[in-house]
């Protein structure tokens, strides 16, 4: 297993700096996911670690050794690409064996290694097929198998599931998680899909504009986002965000006031953003409800319901309820906010409160 450290890593293309001095410590045997929107620098950072991109500044260390000037082929890492990158004229067996043949391993050792990996990935029946005769999920397994047989120091995955349909992505996520438990090793995984990040990662690195916004365990990021970007990016559907003003122990919004215990030393007239996740908004018949809203649309998913609603002065709110609710468009609802689950962010978008006393 392998430790990977980035120290003040920068990447500049011409006059444009796309990676801005990133420091990161990836522990040996850890599954780390880089997540963020398109263009945030996550794939570039992965390619820098792999040796496929040069650094413009800073250091990349693998097991304590600086590898800035070490070629990709000499770093001992295996990369699995979004496009699979299989040789179309070779069988599955030959695709998986190719790197081992170049390494001059014996035929017996190559055969044993390839068949062991194929058995683990459940692709043994396809070893004599060519890639064009495989489904997308089978091709991805072959690409992963080609990485496994090399026994690399670490595995690097660059959006490996993005070409698959939704149902197959879910199945492959489970397989990747199971594979990680079987073989261990350090894994770095790039995705724009925060659901993949939440379900696969030991730790998530949230990137935006070439900067690390937050690093932490999945539920740590979900429950305690450091800033508005992380709060809005982690979670599906996203956190509800409302403009508010602090006034005498209450949060004043354009649609009403929330009396809140535990605002601490926040000064009156301070402008803040109030955040509340959809599952922390309840539907109530009480006259002391926080907001009166009108239903815009509903998504009934059988085991859960999403309600999208609005009121004068508020952005559209998303409410998540377990089960099936007899709610229709244009219905009037009264909503209550779970005070213990509120998040507050300052004018610069930095968290000042993550969860208040009930």
């Amino acid at each position: 297993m392998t430790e990977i450290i980035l120290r003040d890593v920068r990447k500049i293309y011409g006059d444009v700096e796309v990676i801005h001095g990133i420091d990161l410590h990836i522990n040996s045997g850890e599954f780390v996911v880089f997540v963020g929107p398109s263009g945030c620098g996550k794939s570039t950072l992965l390619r820098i670690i792999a040796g496929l991109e040069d650094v413009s500044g800073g250091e990349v260390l693998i097991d304590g050794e600086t590898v800035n000037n070490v070629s990709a082929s000499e770093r001992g890492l295996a990369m699995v690409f979004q496009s699979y990158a299989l040789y179309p004229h070779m069988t599955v067996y030959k695709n998986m064996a190719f790197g081992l043949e170049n390494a001059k391993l014996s035929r017996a050792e190559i055969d044993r290694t390839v068949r062991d990996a194929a058995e683990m990935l459940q692709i043994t029946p396809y070893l004599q097929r060519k890639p064009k005769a495989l489904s997308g999920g089978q091709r991805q397994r072959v690409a992963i198998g080609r990485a496994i047989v090399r026994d690399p120091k670490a595995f690097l995955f660059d959006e490996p599931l993005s070409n698959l349909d939704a149902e197959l992505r879910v199945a492959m996520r489970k397989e990747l998680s199971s594979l990680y438990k079987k073989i261990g090793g350090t894994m770095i995984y790039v995705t724009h899909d925060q659901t993949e990040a939440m379900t696969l990662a030991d730790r998530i690195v949230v990137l935006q504009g070439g900067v690390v916004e937050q690093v932490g365990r999945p539920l740590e990021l979900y429950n305690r986002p450091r800033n508005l970007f992380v709060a809005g990016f982690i979670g599906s559907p996203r956190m509800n965000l409302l403009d508010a003003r602090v006034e005498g122990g209450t949060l004043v919004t354009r649609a009403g006031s929330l009396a809140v215990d535990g605002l601490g030393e926040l000064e009156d007239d301070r402008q803040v953003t109030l955040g509340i996740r959809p599952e922390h908004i309840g539907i109530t018949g009480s006259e002391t409800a926080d907001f009166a809203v009108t239903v815009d649309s509903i998504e009934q998913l059988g085991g859960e319901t999403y309600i999208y609603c609005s009121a004068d002065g508020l952005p559209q709110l998303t409410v998540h309820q377990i089960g099936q609710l007899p709610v229709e468009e244009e219905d009037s609802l009264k909503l209550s906010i779970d005070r213990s689950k509120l998040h507050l962010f300052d004018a610069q978008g930095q968290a000042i409160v993550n969860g208040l006393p009930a």
Side-chain angles (χ1 to χ4, degrees), residues 47-54 60 62 67-77 153:
R47 290 173 64 85
I48 286 171
I49 294 169
L52 300 175
E53 296 276 0
D54 295 330
V60 178
I62 299 176
V67 297
N68 290 28
N69 298 316
V70 177
S71 68
S73 61
E74 298 297 321
R75 293 193 183 187
L77 309 177
K153 292 180 179 178

Side-chain angles (χ1 to χ4, degrees), residues 27-222:
N27 298 310
S28 180
E30 192 173 29
F31 197 133
V32 171
V33 175
F34 296 170
V35 70
S38 296
C40 70
K42 55 189 183 294
S43 289
T44 300
L45 195 61
L46 189 75
R47 290 173 64 85
I48 286 171
I49 294 169
L52 300 175
E53 296 276 0
D54 295 330
V55 294
S56 303
E59 284 185 290
V60 178
L61 294 91
I62 299 176
D63 284 337
E65 176 188 353
T66 300
V67 297
N68 290 28
N69 298 316
V70 177
S71 68
S73 61
E74 298 297 321
R75 293 193 183 187
L77 309 177
M79 192 155 175
V80 178
F81 296 92
Q82 174 182 349
S83 62
Y84 317 134
L86 302 176
Y87 298 111
H89 62 288
M90 293 184 181
T91 64
V92 168
Y93 184 99
K94 291 290 287 183
N95 264 281
M96 293 174 64
F98 185 73
L100 303 180
E101 290 171 350
N102 287 343
K104 309 298 184 186
L105 271 64
S106 69
R107 284 189 180 182
E109 189 171 358
I110 292 172
D111 189 68
R112 176 184 56 77
T113 303
V114 168
R115 292 187 183 279
D116 284 351
E119 186 69 24
M120 181 187 302
L121 293 165
Q122 300 177 20
I123 54 174
T124 301
Y126 315 125
L127 285 175
Q128 297 310 314
R129 294 187 189 180
K130 291 184 178 178
K132 67 180 180 181
L134 303 177
S135 68
Q138 290 163 353
R139 291 179 195 179
Q140 194 55 271
R141 287 193 191 97
V142 175
I144 293 169
R146 188 172 56 184
I148 289 172
V149 297
R150 292 177 53 193
D151 191 24
K153 292 180 179 178
F155 295 88
L156 311 180
F157 296 91
D158 190 6
E159 302 209 45
L161 308 185
S162 60
N163 288 336
L164 307 180
D165 62 47
E167 185 176 351
L168 191 52
R169 286 180 74 139
V170 173
M172 285 298 296
R173 279 206 311 266
K174 294 176 182 176
E175 290 187 19
L176 278 171
S177 179
S178 177
L179 178 66
Y180 172 60
K181 292 171 183 174
K182 285 180 184 176
I183 66 176
T186 305
M187 295 189 180
I188 307 174
Y189 187 102
V190 162
T191 183
H192 66 274
D193 185 335
Q194 55 92 22
T195 302
E196 286 182 17
M198 292 291 289
T199 54
L200 288 172
D202 292 326
R203 283 193 303 154
I204 297 173
V205 179
V206 182
L207 290 151
Q208 164 71 347
V211 173
V212 173
E213 296 285 355
Q214 189 170 352
V215 181
R217 300 185 69 82
L219 289 182
E220 177 186 344
L221 269 60
Y222 189 85

